[in-house]
Structures are given as C-alpha cells and as structure tokens.
C-alpha cells in the first residue's frame, strides 16, 4: 500500500514508508509503484487490480451490529471494515456506508433520460479503535424535477451516535427546509443554517434522553452522553450551483481544469482561526493549546453538531458557500480530516483528476460503461490509501463526485 501512495504524492513531498495493520493490508495492498509517471502509465491495470481486491474484501467483511444507525459497532469489525461505493446500487436511492454489497430482493436498474452525478465513496476505520465517521448520498433530493443531489460526510468524536444521527436525518431536514420555498428561489444560507440548528437540537435531545445504541460506549461514561459531537460537511449539487455547508474541520474541495485548480469550498473551523478565537473569547471561553489549539483544552474544532457541554463556545452554525458550476468543473471531493490532515487540496485534486482521466481513456473499450462508472469509486479509494500511507491516525472517509457535464448515472428505480 505504501508503494502506490508514495508514487501518488506531489513533487518534492517526502513520505516515509508506512506499515498498515495486517487486517487492512490484506484488503488494500496494491502492487508497488515507484513514481508518479509510472502510476499514470499503469493506472488502468492498477484499477482492475483494486477491483479484484474489493471483491476479496467482501469475504473478510464481518457483519455485526456496527451497521445499526444508533450504535457504535463492534470493535473488531470496525478495525477491519472497509466501505466503498459507486454511483448506482440496486433497491434504493439513499446511499450510506458500503456500496459493495447487494440489497436483498433488489430490482434491476432502469436507465432513464435523467440521472444524477456519478460518485464514489470509501470509508475506513484506519488506525483508530472505533469507526466514528458516517457518509451519506441522497440523489434527487426533493424529487426528480428539482435536480438537487445531497452528499454528506460526518466525522464523529467522543462516540459515533451523533454522526449516525446526522447520517439518518440531515438529508431529510434539508429537504424539508428547501421545500418551504416552493416555487421561489432557495435562500441557501438561510435554509442550511436552519437545517444545521435543527439537526443540532435533535442530537441534543438524543443525548439527553438516553436514546443511543445499546452497545454505545459513551453510554457507560456519562449519563447524558453530552461529550459527543460530529462535524458535518454537506454539499447540495444543483444543475447550476454547488452549495456547500460546513461545520467543523471536514472539508469540500472543487477540482477544475483537469485537477490544475483546487478550489476550497469550505474553511476549517479551528479554535485558533482569528475570527473563531475572537468569537469564543467574546462568549467567555478560552482556547488552550494542548497538542494543538482546543476549546477549553478539550475539542480541536470550534464548530460541531452536538458537544452540549461546550456550548455556547462550540456552535453548530455552518458557513455556507454557493459556487456556480462551469464547464471546467472536474469533480468535487468531500472528506473528513483523516484525509486533509496529511494530504493537501492540490495533491487530492491531482490524484482524483488523474484517476478520472485514466478511466476516460478506457471509454472506447468493451468495458467502457463499467469502467466509467467506477472512476469516482477508484479515486476515493486511492485517496484513502494515500492518507493511510502518510500515517493518518484518524478515520478516513472520502466522497468523489463527477461534475463533468453529460456524465450522469441513471437513477435507480424499482420494477
């Protein structure tokens, strides 16, 4: 695994070799490559190798109660779990967690004249004891006619139940807020701010009345589970705009011009960011440096959903950006800080764009459709491997959305 990731780093970036845990190694280890040029030349073969490894990974997946929306999951399964997905999965239109396994009783996917952007997601526990990230994709939010597509990455801390609550409810809350505008243009900043506040209230109620999973480790630590929260970076892709709402230190980056331009669509909420530091101090709080800047010496971010014990210093209000789509848009990357702590925006965009270009070269082959459908999934997997090779100590979750016009997946429908 270290071999490929060493080859994918940007020029002049030094990366020491990493030795992953054995459970991750046997699922993710690819053939060794030595240079960035060699990666580009051998990427088609490499991606086919990765797909074989994904099929092998399914045989190692342990099915326990870690898939419960309200629970934290078993420790063993979390350490070995690798989640990856592609843009179409039979039998439903809400995508969260793995896209490798097929739904029972699934129907065939019918291609219609309309569709949603292709995407791929990968989420791994990494070197953490527990998996606290959650990922959600909801195509055609608000119905087919709107053309709104929802993507969200939620990075929990303290436990996973707030992130899982966001995964199960955030898209529904956003949809309800957007529908309030009916035929009027959506005021995105207003709608997303209300949505995040409502989500925060639901997370607070969940912590306060004990409605958490029976296997939730934080239930044994505090009666009210107040010391639990989650970041949230949410993107709503419309036919003309990309709306990004961020609360915490997860991040969204737009890749343009074949990966040459890396445009951050969110700004990390770190406690020592000048405006955030001023807001915390005006509220009567303090930022204490303990292995980095932390609110009251505890939390390494200044905004989050949940974390009731740190209010009003930690707030849930998101920063919202609205970006017009252009013909130069390549892809959108949403990821937890497990990626961004060790990979720059520019390097992430170069890797994703290179992967999309490699698949584009295969579009004349017999497997063109399948190859093109897997481009984003393979890009998200390569970014995850790169983060692990750079010694990321956190959970790593990556969503890659193909924004190229004319490249759409058919929406799944049930016969």
């Amino acid at each position: 695994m270290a071999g490929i990731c060493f080859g994918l780093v940007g020029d002049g970036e030094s990366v020491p070799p990493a030795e992953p845990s054995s459970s991750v190694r046997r699922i993710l280890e690819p053939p060794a490559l030595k240079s960035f040029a060699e990666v580009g030349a051998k990427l088609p073969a490499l991606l086919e190798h990765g797909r074989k490894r994904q099929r092998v990974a399914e045989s190692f997946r342990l099915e326990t109660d870690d898939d419960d929306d309200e629970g934290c999951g078993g420790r063993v399964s979390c350490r070995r779990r690798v989640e990856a997905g592609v843009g179409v999965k039979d039998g439903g239109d809400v995508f969260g967690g793995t896209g490798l396994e097929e739904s029972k009783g699934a129907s065939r996917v019918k291609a219609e004249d309309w569709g949603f952007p292709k995407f791929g997601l990968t989420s791994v526990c990494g070197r953490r004891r527990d998996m606290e990230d959650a990922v959600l994709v909801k195509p055609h939010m608000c119905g087919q006619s709107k053309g709104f597509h929802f993507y969200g990455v939620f990075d929990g801390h303290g436990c996973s139940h707030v992130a899982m609550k966001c995964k199960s409810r955030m898209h529904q809350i956003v949809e309800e807020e957007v529908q309030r505008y009916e035929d009027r243009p959506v005021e995105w900043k207003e709608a997303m701010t209300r949505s995040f506040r409502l989500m925060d209230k639901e997370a607070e109620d969940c912590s306060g009345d004990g409605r958490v999973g029976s296997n939730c480790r934080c239930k044994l630590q505090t009666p009210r589970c107040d010391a639990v929260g989650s970041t949230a970076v949410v993107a709503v892709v419309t036919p003309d705009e990309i709306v990004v709402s961020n609360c915490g230190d997860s991040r969204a980056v737009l890749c343009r011009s074949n990966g040459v331009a890396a445009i951050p669509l969110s700004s990390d909420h770190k406690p020592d960011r000048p405006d955030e530091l001023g807001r915390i101090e005006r509220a009567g709080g303090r930022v204490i440096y303990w292995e980095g800047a932390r609110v009251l010496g505890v939390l390494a971010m200044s905004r989050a959903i949940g974390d009731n014990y740190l209010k009003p210093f930690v707030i849930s209000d998101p920063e919202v950006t609205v970006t017009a789509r252009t013909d130069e848009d390549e892809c959108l990357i949403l990821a937890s800080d497990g990626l961004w702590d060790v990979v720059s925006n520019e390097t992430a965009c170069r890797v994703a764009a290179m992967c999309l270009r490699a698949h584009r070269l295969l579009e004349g082959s017999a497997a063109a459709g399948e190859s093109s459908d897997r481009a984003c999934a393979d890009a998200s997997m390569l970014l995850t491997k790169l983060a692990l090779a750079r010694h990321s100590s956190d959970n790593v979750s990556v969503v890659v959305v193909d924004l190229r016009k004319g490249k759409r997946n058919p929406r799944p429908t049930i016969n």
Side-chain angles (χ1 to χ4, degrees), residues 4 27-31 33 39-57 100 355 358-359 362 365-375 377-379 381-382 385:
I4 176 175
I27 295 176
L28 294 179
E29 184 179 13
L33 298 175
V39 173
K42 296 185 177 181
L43 191 55
L46 174 64
L47 296 179
E48 177 59 28
H49 179 90
R51 282 192 287 274
K52 292 179 181 177
R53 285 290 185 178
Q54 282 187 334
R55 290 192 289 271
V56 172
L100 290 175
C355 196
H359 279 280
L362 301 177
S365 67
E370 178 185 357
S371 172
S372 181
D373 283 342
R374 299 298 304 219
D378 290 331
M381 185 189 302
L382 290 178
K385 293 176 182 178

Side-chain angles (χ1 to χ4, degrees), residues 96-162:
T98 179
L100 290 175
E101 56 191 20
E102 294 184 359
S103 301
K104 294 182 179 179
S107 304
R108 290 181 178 273
V109 175
K110 292 183 177 180
E112 305 290 350
D113 293 333
W114 43 274
F116 60 90
K118 298 172 185 174
F119 71 90
L121 67 89
T122 304
S123 186
V124 298
C125 187
R127 295 176 176 84
R128 282 294 181 91
R129 181 183 65 176
D130 297 307
M131 183 61 174
E132 296 179 335
D133 284 5
V135 182
L136 176 70
V137 175
K138 175 66 169 70
H140 285 281
M141 184 184 72
C142 302
Q144 170 186 342
S145 60
K146 291 286 188 181
F148 295 167
H149 313 294
F150 179 100
Y151 307 88
V153 173
F154 311 102
D155 181 1
H157 47 264
C159 191
S160 66
H161 72 257
V162 173

Side-chain angles (χ1 to χ4, degrees), residues 1 3-9 28 30-31 33 39-40 42-44 46-51 54 84 121-122 339 343 347-348 350-356 358-359 374-390 396 398 400:
M1 178 174 65
I4 176 175
C5 296
F6 183 81
L8 287 172
V9 299
L28 294 179
L33 298 175
V39 173
K42 296 185 177 181
L43 191 55
L46 174 64
L47 296 179
E48 177 59 28
H49 179 90
R51 282 192 287 274
Q54 282 187 334
L121 67 89
T122 304
L339 174 72
V343 177
T347 298
R350 287 200 299 272
V351 171
M354 180 184 66
C355 196
L356 294 177
H359 279 280
R374 299 298 304 219
C376 291
D378 290 331
S380 67
M381 185 189 302
L382 290 178
L383 288 171
T384 302
K385 293 176 182 178
L386 174 56
L388 294 177
R390 289 190 165 192
V396 183
V398 182
V400 177

Side-chain angles (χ1 to χ4, degrees), residues 209-229:
D209 63 11
R211 288 189 288 113
V212 296
S214 59
N215 62 339
C216 190
R217 62 182 172 85
C218 69
K219 190 174 182 179
L220 303 177
Q221 298 174 0
T222 61
R224 288 175 51 86
C225 303
D226 281 343
V228 181

